[in-house]
Amino acid sequence: MKLSGPERYELTWEKPASSATVVLPVEKPKFSGIATSMKPKLYIASVDEKPFYVGVTRQPLRNRLSLGWRARGRAGFWGYAWRHHLCKAFLDVWCDEDPPARDRDPPMLAVETLEAEVVFLIRCKGQWPEHQTEIHFHPSSEIHRNVAEAVVARYAF
């Protein structure tokens, strides 16, 4: 697993949460870099350096967030619960630069495994991420656990 990042974005939105404005550290009005890639990505939403949501996607992050923002319960998908409770968050994004080949393992396998390990480590530090709604569990290796520890070390608990 070769992880690049993180890239950090600041998200702000108004309630009701119909859309979000992405504010970048360099004042650009949109996602860039690894956030726009089609490679598997791990992303963590946090406030005051405390993670409240951990997710994975292969879509460009703009598309994934848009889907989570517009959801209204169709087919059981209600989107991001945190959009109704907060008005601002930071989003850190990592990219798996060397995902498994399709003929060996599913491309999302490594980041889904990392997602579960990150959520588990957050739980070990006190409580499950407040707005976590889903986790993909797969057997992990020492590499996944070491990378998860490095990711979680960025945050305050």
Side-chain angles (χ1 to χ4, degrees):
M1 170 172 240
K2 182 181 175 197
L3 211 61
S4 65
E7 290 178 355
R8 175 164 268 203
Y9 300 92
E10 182 178 357
L11 303 178
T12 60
W13 61 95
E14 295 183 14
K15 293 179 189 174
S18 58
S19 67
T21 300
V22 177
V23 181
L24 294 162
V26 291
E27 305 291 320
K28 288 195 268 182
K30 59 184 179 180
F31 287 112
S32 61
I34 62 176
T36 63
S37 128
M38 293 294 288
K39 291 181 179 178
K41 291 173 282 301
L42 171 80
Y43 60 99
I44 299 178
S46 66
V47 171
D48 297 328
E49 299 302 324
K50 292 175 178 56
F52 61 82
Y53 183 84
V54 181
V56 294
T57 188
R58 281 185 66 193
Q59 303 174 56
L61 216 47
R62 174 188 170 143
N63 297 8
R64 179 63 188 95
L65 288 178
S66 179
L67 181 68
W69 235 260
R70 292 176 308 175
R72 300 287 181 262
R74 196 171 185 183
F77 180 61
W78 289 93
Y80 297 120
W82 44 275
R83 73 187 195 267
H84 302 298
H85 301 277
L86 303 166
C87 292
K88 183 178 181 178
F90 285 100
L91 197 66
D92 295 315
V93 185
W94 289 264
C95 182
D96 183 357
E97 298 292 351
D98 189 25
R102 286 188 183 272
D103 59 343
R104 194 180 80 215
D105 286 317
M108 291 294 289
L109 183 65
V111 293
E112 286 179 354
T113 304
L114 179 59
E115 173 193 35
E117 290 298 324
V118 167
V119 170
F120 173 73
L121 289 174
I122 292 169
R123 171 61 180 96
C124 288
K125 299 208 179 271
Q127 192 50 270
W128 296 109
E130 184 176 0
H131 296 289
Q132 193 71 36
T133 54
E134 178 181 340
I135 307 170
H136 303 92
F137 293 103
H138 303 289
S140 64
S141 69
E142 188 173 342
I143 292 170
H144 297 108
R145 293 186 290 275
N146 290 341
V147 171
E149 285 180 19
V151 166
V152 171
R154 297 183 46 81
Y155 299 97
F157 294 93

